[in-house]
Short mmCIF file of all heavy atoms in Angstrom, two decimals:
data_model
loop_
_atom_site.label_atom_id
_atom_site.label_comp_id
_atom_site.label_asym_id
_atom_site.label_seq_id
_atom_site.Cartn_x
_atom_site.Cartn_y
_atom_site.Cartn_z
N PRO A 129 8.47 -6.78 14.61
CA PRO A 129 7.26 -7.18 13.88
C PRO A 129 5.95 -6.67 14.49
O PRO A 129 5.02 -6.38 13.75
CB PRO A 129 7.31 -8.71 13.91
CG PRO A 129 8.28 -9.07 14.95
CD PRO A 129 9.20 -7.92 15.16
N ASP A 130 5.86 -6.54 15.80
CA ASP A 130 4.60 -6.10 16.40
C ASP A 130 4.54 -4.59 16.65
O ASP A 130 3.57 -4.08 17.18
CB ASP A 130 4.30 -6.86 17.69
CG ASP A 130 5.40 -6.69 18.73
OD1 ASP A 130 6.37 -5.97 18.46
OD2 ASP A 130 5.27 -7.28 19.81
N ARG A 131 5.61 -3.88 16.27
CA ARG A 131 5.70 -2.42 16.41
C ARG A 131 5.54 -1.96 17.85
O ARG A 131 4.98 -0.90 18.12
CB ARG A 131 4.68 -1.73 15.52
CG ARG A 131 4.92 -1.96 14.05
CD ARG A 131 3.91 -1.22 13.22
NE ARG A 131 4.21 -1.38 11.81
CZ ARG A 131 3.39 -0.99 10.85
NH1 ARG A 131 2.25 -0.42 11.14
NH2 ARG A 131 3.72 -1.16 9.60
N ILE A 132 6.01 -2.75 18.80
CA ILE A 132 5.97 -2.40 20.22
C ILE A 132 7.39 -2.43 20.78
O ILE A 132 8.11 -3.41 20.61
CB ILE A 132 5.08 -3.36 21.02
CG1 ILE A 132 3.62 -3.21 20.58
CG2 ILE A 132 5.20 -3.08 22.52
CD1 ILE A 132 2.67 -4.15 21.27
N LEU A 133 7.78 -1.34 21.43
CA LEU A 133 9.06 -1.28 22.12
C LEU A 133 8.82 -1.14 23.61
O LEU A 133 7.88 -0.46 24.04
CB LEU A 133 9.89 -0.07 21.64
CG LEU A 133 10.50 -0.15 20.26
CD1 LEU A 133 11.27 1.14 19.96
CD2 LEU A 133 11.44 -1.34 20.14
N TRP A 134 9.70 -1.75 24.40
CA TRP A 134 9.63 -1.68 25.86
C TRP A 134 10.75 -0.79 26.36
O TRP A 134 11.88 -0.88 25.90
CB TRP A 134 9.78 -3.07 26.45
CG TRP A 134 8.59 -3.94 26.22
CD1 TRP A 134 8.32 -4.70 25.13
CD2 TRP A 134 7.50 -4.14 27.11
NE1 TRP A 134 7.13 -5.37 25.28
CE2 TRP A 134 6.61 -5.04 26.50
CE3 TRP A 134 7.19 -3.65 28.38
CZ2 TRP A 134 5.43 -5.46 27.10
CZ3 TRP A 134 6.02 -4.07 28.98
CH2 TRP A 134 5.16 -4.96 28.35
N PHE A 135 10.43 0.07 27.32
CA PHE A 135 11.41 0.98 27.90
C PHE A 135 11.32 0.93 29.42
O PHE A 135 10.23 0.78 29.98
CB PHE A 135 11.13 2.43 27.48
CG PHE A 135 11.32 2.66 26.02
CD1 PHE A 135 10.28 2.49 25.13
CD2 PHE A 135 12.55 3.06 25.52
CE1 PHE A 135 10.44 2.70 23.78
CE2 PHE A 135 12.73 3.27 24.17
CZ PHE A 135 11.69 3.10 23.30
N PRO A 136 12.45 1.11 30.11
CA PRO A 136 12.39 1.27 31.57
C PRO A 136 11.59 2.54 31.88
O PRO A 136 11.61 3.51 31.10
CB PRO A 136 13.84 1.44 31.99
CG PRO A 136 14.65 0.93 30.85
CD PRO A 136 13.82 1.12 29.62
N THR A 137 10.90 2.56 32.99
CA THR A 137 10.06 3.72 33.33
C THR A 137 10.87 4.99 33.48
O THR A 137 10.35 6.08 33.28
CB THR A 137 9.27 3.47 34.62
OG1 THR A 137 10.19 3.12 35.66
CG2 THR A 137 8.25 2.38 34.44
N ASN A 138 12.16 4.87 33.79
CA ASN A 138 12.99 6.06 33.98
C ASN A 138 13.90 6.34 32.78
O ASN A 138 14.88 7.07 32.89
CB ASN A 138 13.84 5.92 35.24
CG ASN A 138 14.77 4.73 35.19
OD1 ASN A 138 14.69 3.90 34.29
ND2 ASN A 138 15.63 4.63 36.18
N SER A 139 13.59 5.79 31.61
CA SER A 139 14.41 5.95 30.42
C SER A 139 14.41 7.39 29.93
O SER A 139 13.39 8.08 29.96
CB SER A 139 13.90 5.05 29.30
OG SER A 139 14.62 5.28 28.10
N GLU A 140 15.56 7.83 29.43
CA GLU A 140 15.67 9.17 28.85
C GLU A 140 15.18 9.19 27.41
O GLU A 140 15.10 10.25 26.79
CB GLU A 140 17.12 9.64 28.91
CG GLU A 140 18.06 8.74 28.16
CD GLU A 140 19.51 8.99 28.48
OE1 GLU A 140 19.82 9.41 29.59
OE2 GLU A 140 20.35 8.73 27.58
N HIS A 141 14.82 8.03 26.86
CA HIS A 141 14.38 7.93 25.47
C HIS A 141 12.86 7.93 25.32
O HIS A 141 12.35 7.64 24.24
CB HIS A 141 14.95 6.67 24.83
CG HIS A 141 16.44 6.67 24.77
ND1 HIS A 141 17.15 7.51 23.94
CD2 HIS A 141 17.36 5.97 25.45
CE1 HIS A 141 18.44 7.32 24.11
NE2 HIS A 141 18.59 6.38 25.04
N ILE A 142 12.15 8.24 26.38
CA ILE A 142 10.69 8.33 26.31
C ILE A 142 10.26 9.57 27.07
O ILE A 142 10.81 9.89 28.13
CB ILE A 142 10.01 7.05 26.88
CG1 ILE A 142 8.49 7.14 26.74
CG2 ILE A 142 10.43 6.78 28.28
CD1 ILE A 142 7.77 5.84 27.08
N ARG A 143 9.31 10.30 26.48
CA ARG A 143 8.81 11.52 27.11
C ARG A 143 7.34 11.72 26.74
O ARG A 143 6.89 11.19 25.71
CB ARG A 143 9.64 12.73 26.68
CG ARG A 143 9.54 13.04 25.20
CD ARG A 143 10.46 14.15 24.80
NE ARG A 143 10.28 14.48 23.38
CZ ARG A 143 11.13 15.20 22.67
NH1 ARG A 143 12.22 15.68 23.24
NH2 ARG A 143 10.89 15.45 21.40
N PRO A 144 6.61 12.46 27.56
CA PRO A 144 5.22 12.74 27.21
C PRO A 144 5.14 13.52 25.89
O PRO A 144 6.01 14.33 25.59
CB PRO A 144 4.71 13.60 28.36
CG PRO A 144 5.66 13.33 29.48
CD PRO A 144 6.98 13.02 28.85
N PHE A 145 4.12 13.24 25.10
CA PHE A 145 3.92 13.94 23.83
C PHE A 145 3.44 15.35 24.10
O PHE A 145 2.51 15.56 24.88
CB PHE A 145 2.91 13.19 22.97
CG PHE A 145 2.61 13.86 21.65
CD1 PHE A 145 3.55 13.84 20.64
CD2 PHE A 145 1.42 14.51 21.45
CE1 PHE A 145 3.29 14.46 19.43
CE2 PHE A 145 1.14 15.12 20.24
CZ PHE A 145 2.08 15.10 19.23
N LYS A 146 4.08 16.30 23.46
CA LYS A 146 3.68 17.70 23.62
C LYS A 146 2.92 18.12 22.38
O LYS A 146 3.40 17.95 21.25
CB LYS A 146 4.91 18.59 23.81
CG LYS A 146 5.63 18.30 25.08
CD LYS A 146 6.84 19.16 25.22
CE LYS A 146 7.59 18.77 26.48
NZ LYS A 146 8.92 19.34 26.53
N ARG A 147 1.74 18.63 22.59
CA ARG A 147 0.90 19.06 21.47
C ARG A 147 1.67 20.08 20.62
O ARG A 147 2.30 20.97 21.14
CB ARG A 147 -0.37 19.69 22.01
CG ARG A 147 -1.38 20.01 20.94
CD ARG A 147 -2.66 20.46 21.61
NE ARG A 147 -3.41 19.32 22.08
CZ ARG A 147 -4.45 18.82 21.45
NH1 ARG A 147 -4.87 19.40 20.35
NH2 ARG A 147 -5.10 17.78 21.89
N GLY A 148 1.62 19.90 19.31
CA GLY A 148 2.27 20.82 18.41
C GLY A 148 3.71 20.46 18.08
O GLY A 148 4.32 21.09 17.24
#
Side-chain angles (χ1 to χ4, degrees):
D130 59 1
R131 296 181 176 171
I132 294 178
L133 287 179
W134 289 85
F135 294 90
T137 55
N138 60 352
S139 175
E140 60 194 29
H141 298 290
I142 183 172
R143 64 185 183 195
F145 179 73
K146 295 179 184 167
R147 188 173 280 259

